[in-house]
Amino acid sequence: MAKLHITSTVNGDEVEFLCEAEDTLLDVLRDELTLTGSKEGCASGDCGACSVMLDGRLVCACLVLGAEMQGRSVETIEAMASGEQLHPLQQKFLEHAALQCGICTPGFLIAAKALLETNPDPSEIEVRFGLAGNLCRCTGYDKIIRAVLDAAAEMRVN
Ligand code: FES
Ligand code: FES
C-alpha cells in the first residue's frame, strides 16, 4: 500500500512526512523526523516515556498514529530548551540528579511542564498524581518530585 503523505506542525515548523498506515507518531518522530528525544519504553501507553504535547494536550506518542497528524501540531522535548538555555525543569532535574539511565526523562519533563502550565503551585501529592502516567525504573521518584517542586518554585518567582 502506498505511504500516506502527511503535513503537520512539529515544534513550530511545518513538516511533511510519509508514513505507513500503522506507523505511530513515535515512529514518525524518531524514524522519519530524527527527533529521537521521545523514547519508546513500552509501546503500549503504560510508561509515558514517549510523552508529547499534541494540540496542547499531553499524549503518549506511541498511542497516536502518524496518519492522524494531518493538520495537527505536536511539541516534543526537542523544543523545551531555548537554544542553550535549559528550561527550569531541565535544570532542576540536573541539579537534583533526577535521572539515571534517562529513558524516562523526556517524558517526565514534558508531563511536568504540562502539569505546571495548568497548576503552577502544585503540592507534592499533586505532582505525584500529575506524573502518575510516567514510570521510572531507576530513581525511585523522590528526586524527580523534588526537582519538579523546585522548578515550580523558581518559575513562580521568575
Ligand atoms: S512508549 Fe509510549 S507509553 Fe511507553
Ligand atoms: S532514569 Fe532510568 S527509567 Fe528513569
Side-chain angles (χ1 to χ4, degrees):
M1 188 176 144
K3 288 193 172 191
L4 301 162
H5 177 233
I6 306 292
T7 303
S8 56
T9 301
V10 178
N11 296 333
D13 295 326
E14 186 174 293
V15 299
E16 297 179 46
F17 57 85
L18 298 173
C19 68
E20 306 283 356
E22 68 272 19
D23 287 344
T24 66
L25 171 56
L26 184 60
D27 295 329
V28 168
L29 290 173
R30 292 181 57 82
D31 302 337
E32 296 296 321
L33 304 178
T34 59
L35 294 171
T36 55
S38 304
K39 305 301 185 202
E40 183 175 282
C42 66
S44 57
D46 294 310
C47 76
C50 64
S51 298
V52 297
M53 299 302 287
L54 177 58
D55 293 333
R57 263 189 67 210
L58 181 65
V59 300
C60 295
C62 70
L63 296 183
V64 177
L65 290 173
E68 295 179 87
M69 289 302 296
Q70 179 61 40
R72 302 180 76 183
S73 178
V74 65
E75 187 181 313
T76 71
I77 188 66
E78 281 83 359
M80 197 158 184
S82 301
E84 299 291 303
Q85 182 72 39
L86 293 179
H87 187 281
L89 279 162
Q90 294 172 306
Q91 188 61 43
K92 292 302 180 187
F93 267 58
L94 287 175
E95 289 174 17
H96 288 266
L99 64 155
Q100 289 182 36
C101 78
I103 292 290
C104 69
T105 309
F108 267 103
L109 289 167
I110 291 282
K113 182 165 176 268
L115 169 69
L116 297 186
E117 280 168 2
T118 56
N119 182 0
D121 190 10
S123 66
E124 179 181 333
I125 293 210
E126 287 171 331
V127 173
R128 289 185 184 274
F129 187 81
L131 300 181
N134 294 79
L135 304 182
C136 176
R137 64 175 70 180
C138 305
T139 67
Y141 298 101
D142 282 345
K143 292 176 180 175
I144 293 172
I145 305 302
R146 280 202 291 277
V148 173
L149 288 168
D150 198 8
E154 181 173 297
M155 289 165 70
R156 286 196 300 277
V157 294
N158 288 329

